Structure formats: structure tokens, C-alpha cells
Amino acid sequence: PYEVSMSRLLFCGRWPLSYVLLLVASSLIVGGSTQSANGEENCVGEELSHGATGESCCAHSRGIEGTKDEVHANAGIFSGTPKCAGSAAVCKREREVLTDIPGGSFLMGSNRPTSYPADGEGPVRRRQVGSFLMDKYEVSNERFAEFIAHQKRLAPDAQYVTDADRFGWSFVFEGLLPPRISEVSEQAVAGARWWVRVDGASWNSPEGPGTNLDDRWDHPAVHVSWFDARAFCAWAGKRLPTEEEWEYAARGGLEQKQFPWGNKERDEEGRPRANTFQGTFPHDDTAEDGYAGTAPVHAFEANGYGLHNVAGNGGGGVEGGGGTQHGADGSDTTWNEKVP
């Protein structure tokens, strides 16, 4: 049996990025920490939804009985998850970006000194997840634009408006802004002053008025709220993963390693393995990894389950709210299903 499929979307903006979503493309670095390309600290096994910009898709579900091909063809029509509402070509593409995540048991969370106890990252506890399908990539600007365009065709006078567009602003990483904008911004995220309010910033104007998606159509969509992500998921016939599913998938089959690929932050040649911040944070990103800001969703090597950019690049969130206090036996002592 497989669970219905999930996409990966990135949340960026309306909330401190520690609490915003991936279409599940949350940034994750198991057990360790590093700076994401846009300045957010990433810790895997610790709060996996720390990242630089948002990612995965849509509603709770039970297992679907059937062959793998049958599940791919019917993902989204069971347990309240809607069927893909895009064109035949779009729905075919949405199925093709999925990869199989085998179910199993794993040690969730972290006891490392770099973890965030207040976020419920410890103690380490054992969790069991069933098999499911998940997007290999964060949701790109191209895919998100297809969603927006389809909604506009359906209802020209009532097209979908993201939360950032509705409120008229979002938070942007200061290191990506020209001085004329960062100097006039009067609001920033408490405890993370490098995230500043920019009026007019949205998914298609990532750094505010005058910016666009040229040369970034294959980069992850950002300034996407949890509600926007769920709307995309419903359209794509998918759902957001649970926190357990996300961490299990992001670990790629490794147990309690510091990063999704092992315990060394760099490869044998000393090159960065993910799109993270290099240089003097938060103002001098040397872009040693090849990117200042976001990178293409297919950049960097995939983890053991075939998922790209589960560390660095973007920050994300999940369906439902995990407990923030865990007993020694791994039981949750607090839980809120309505908080992403």
C-alpha cells in the first residue's frame, strides 16, 4: 500500500521562516546546522522546516491499496485528497515528479547541542511511517505559475490571490536587497533582523517591485504561505506531508546522521553539498556553492530517496502541528492539529 502523493512547496514571508512551509521542501540538515542561502539556520533532525525561502503538497490520507502504477494514476482521489485539477499534461507531469518513499521505522529528532528544544526537536524518539509518494523537487516557479494561470482561466474575476499579494508585502532576506530598499524598511523578524519587510514582494516579484522571475523559472516558488501551499496541493491532487513523513524522507534512509548525505558538510573535494550561505553572514555571501539566493530545484545531488534540496535552498512546513514537548518514550505531551 502507498499513501497518496505529496508535493514540495516553499513558504516564505508572512511568518518567521522557522515556522513556514515547503511545499514540503523544508530545508533539512540532520542533526547539524548551517546557514541557508538566504540566511536561515538549517538543522536536520532538529526542526526540519528551517530554511531560506518554502515546499511539499496536500491533505491527510490513509494508505491506498494497489500496484505502484495504479497508485500513481489515482493518487489524490482517496481520503479527501482532491484529484488533480490541472490539464492532462500538467497532471501527467505532476505524477512524473513523484518518487516512492518506502515505509519504515526511524529515529526522529535530535539530541545534539545545536538542536532547538523549544521547537520540539528532542528528545530523539522512534517513529513509524507507511509508504508514500513525494515530489523529487521543490515546487518551481514554473509549476506555481501554472497553478495561478489555471485558477485565472477558471475564474477571471475571482482568480487565486496569494497571502503575500493579499496583504501587500512579505519578508525578504536583506542580503538580496539593494541598499535603497533595506535602508527604508522599518519592520523585520524578531530575533532575525536580516528578514525585512518589503512592500510588494510576492511569488512573482521575489525581492519586491521591479524584480521578476527571469532566469528563475526553475527555482523554488517563495513567498508562499501555508494556505497557499495547501491550495496548490489541492489543485495538484496531492497533500502536504506530516512532520514524521517529511523528516523520514529528508533523511534519505540514513539514521541519525548530521546531514542528509552523512556527517561531513562538504564533499571529498571540499565543495558545498547544498545551497547554503558562505561568507560573513548576513551581508557577504561569497556564493561558493554557485548561488547567491535560491538555486534551481534540480541542483545538487539527491539524497538516498531521490529528493533534491532537502538541505539548504528553501525552508518549508508540514501538514498538522507536531508536539513541542516529547516524553522520554517519544510520546507527544502537546499537540495542535491546526498549526502548520
Side-chain angles (χ1 to χ4, degrees):
Y2 285 84
E3 296 243 344
V4 295
S5 50
M6 307 170 204
S7 299
R8 298 170 53 192
L9 274 171
L10 300 181
F11 290 86
C12 181
R14 294 296 306 167
W15 300 272
L17 284 200
S18 298
Y19 302 99
V20 291
L21 138 105
L22 139 90
L23 274 180
V24 143
S26 297
S27 275
L28 153 62
I29 298 184
V30 181
S33 68
T34 186
Q35 294 293 339
S36 71
N38 292 13
E40 187 73 7
E41 186 174 59
N42 293 291
C43 297
V44 173
E46 288 134 42
E47 181 65 42
L48 292 188
S49 50
H50 288 284
T53 52
E55 105 167 64
S56 234
C57 255
C58 306
H60 286 293
S61 65
R62 62 172 180 268
I64 300 175
E65 299 293 339
T67 67
K68 186 187 304 181
D69 288 342
E70 289 170 337
V71 171
H72 275 273
N74 296 309
I77 64 174
F78 294 92
S79 305
T81 303
K83 186 175 181 180
C84 178
S87 67
V90 165
C91 292
K92 180 175 184 292
R93 193 278 317 286
E94 287 297 323
R95 293 193 296 269
E96 290 174 344
V97 299
L98 294 165
T99 190
D100 304 311
I101 309 297
S105 175
F106 77 111
L107 292 175
M108 181 177 180
S110 174
N111 292 330
R112 294 175 181 271
T114 50
S115 66
Y116 293 83
D119 285 351
E121 293 169 354
V124 172
R125 59 272 186 200
R126 183 162 292 282
R127 289 288 189 264
Q128 180 79 32
V129 299
S131 299
F132 55 93
L133 304 169
M134 181 175 281
D135 281 8
K136 303 175 205 176
Y137 314 106
E138 299 152 310
V139 173
S140 66
N141 286 312
E142 180 181 13
R143 289 171 64 190
F144 196 74
E146 289 175 344
F147 158 66
I148 296 294
H150 182 262
Q151 300 301 99
K152 184 176 182 179
R153 289 194 297 271
L154 289 179
D157 298 326
Q159 66 188 74
Y160 187 82
V161 177
T162 67
D163 279 342
D165 284 320
R166 186 162 61 88
F167 285 101
W169 65 276
S170 187
F171 288 114
V172 179
F173 180 60
E174 186 177 20
L176 298 177
L177 296 174
R180 63 179 177 82
I181 295 181
S182 61
E183 290 173 359
V184 301
S185 180
E186 298 180 354
Q187 287 184 292
V189 175
R193 303 292 298 177
W194 46 87
W195 287 103
V196 299
R197 170 176 170 159
V198 175
D199 291 340
S202 66
W203 74 273
N204 56 358
S205 297
E207 293 81 45
T211 63
N212 55 51
L213 300 177
D214 289 352
D215 301 322
R216 288 189 283 183
W217 289 105
D218 60 350
H219 286 224
V222 298
H223 301 298
V224 177
S225 76
W226 187 70
F227 301 102
D228 300 331
R230 295 193 78 194
F232 175 94
C233 291
W235 172 78
K238 303 178 183 180
R239 67 170 172 88
L240 291 171
T242 64
E243 184 178 359
E244 286 84 357
E245 289 167 333
W246 166 244
E247 181 168 337
Y248 177 77
R251 288 183 178 276
L254 301 180
E255 190 81 285
Q256 285 293 295
K257 296 297 183 182
Q258 188 172 6
F259 304 105
W261 52 79
N263 286 323
K264 294 184 178 180
E265 185 173 349
R266 293 174 177 251
D267 65 17
E268 291 73 13
E269 284 73 42
R271 295 171 300 193
R273 290 178 177 266
N275 181 22
T276 59
F277 194 100
Q278 295 92 39
T280 304
F281 184 80
H283 300 296
D284 181 24
D285 185 357
T286 63
E288 183 185 354
D289 54 27
Y291 304 96
T294 57
V297 298
H298 49 73
F300 299 97
E301 186 177 353
N303 73 357
Y305 288 152
L307 306 179
H308 292 261
N309 288 309
V310 290
N313 210 32
V318 295
E319 181 69 42
T324 57
Q325 298 179 32
H326 310 285
D329 61 353
S331 60
D332 291 324
T333 55
T334 61
W335 189 266
N336 187 342
E337 285 290 344
K338 296 185 180 299
V339 178

